[in-house]
Amino acid sequence: MIEVKLDELADKKGTLVSHSPWLTVTQEMIEAFADATGDHQWIHIDIERAKKESPWKSPIAHGYLTVSLISRLNPQALKVTGPTATINYGLNKLRFPSAVKSGSDIRTKVQLLDVNQVDEHRYMASYLTTVEIKGEDKPACVAENLVMYVI
């Protein structure tokens, strides 16, 4: 993990890169996400059918489960000190180049693209977050995510 003071973050534009620890995406996580969202498509929850009929020969995580894990993993890669609140502000761009098979290990690679002072109490940072899959060439997810820091 990299720790950076908010008032020094702008100095790291284009150079700050950090990785989160690996996280295993379990079938239980996939099924809990399916229950929470109502997306019970067989490629996510029918293990036997997915092993036989899906192109991945395994159940896969929902794309939105994968992107939602950014808010869990990025704080383990990068800690910005100084703000009283850190707010997930949204995404500018999102792609899912590869599926995450049940049981796969993923991590985030976090790159600081930009940071700007919005007003006297807020800073907006944009990060390029790549969700990597252990042992795979293509990432699961590439997102430009926005974070609002409140002081």
Side-chain angles (χ1 to χ4, degrees):
M1 174 191 291
I2 294 176
E3 191 170 310
V4 179
K5 294 178 183 177
L6 180 59
D7 60 359
E8 296 173 357
L9 193 58
D11 298 335
K12 307 285 186 190
K13 285 194 296 190
T15 64
L16 178 68
V17 178
S18 185
H19 290 86
S20 73
W22 292 101
L23 171 71
T24 302
V25 178
T26 66
Q27 187 61 35
E28 292 77 19
M29 291 167 68
I30 294 168
E31 291 175 12
F33 191 85
D35 289 342
T37 62
D39 183 352
H40 292 94
Q41 189 175 167
W42 67 269
I43 61 171
H44 304 301
I45 63 166
D46 189 331
I47 297 169
E48 293 310 312
R49 185 175 175 189
K51 285 180 180 180
K52 293 177 187 172
E53 297 180 33
S54 85
W56 305 279
K57 302 301 179 199
S58 169
I60 59 169
H62 306 72
Y64 285 111
L65 168 57
T66 303
V67 76
S68 73
L69 292 172
I70 289 173
S71 64
R72 177 176 176 176
L73 293 171
N74 278 8
Q76 296 177 58
L78 173 66
K79 180 178 181 178
V80 177
T81 60
T84 58
T86 300
I87 300 166
N88 176 1
Y89 198 75
L91 303 166
N92 281 340
K93 187 174 182 181
L94 174 64
R95 298 290 182 265
F96 299 109
S98 188
V100 177
K101 296 177 190 175
S102 178
S104 294
D105 292 326
I106 64 169
R107 71 177 180 182
T108 56
K109 178 173 84 172
V110 183
Q111 298 173 270
L112 176 64
L113 297 175
D114 202 4
V115 62
N116 294 292
Q117 189 167 359
V118 176
D119 58 32
E120 66 180 295
H121 298 290
R122 299 179 301 154
Y123 290 79
M124 177 73 73
S126 61
Y127 295 95
L128 178 62
T129 297
T130 305
V131 180
E132 302 174 332
I133 308 168
K134 189 182 275 186
E136 300 286 333
D137 293 332
K138 290 170 74 174
C141 176
V142 180
E144 183 180 329
N145 61 298
L146 304 174
V147 177
M148 181 74 72
Y149 297 110
V150 181
I151 56 173

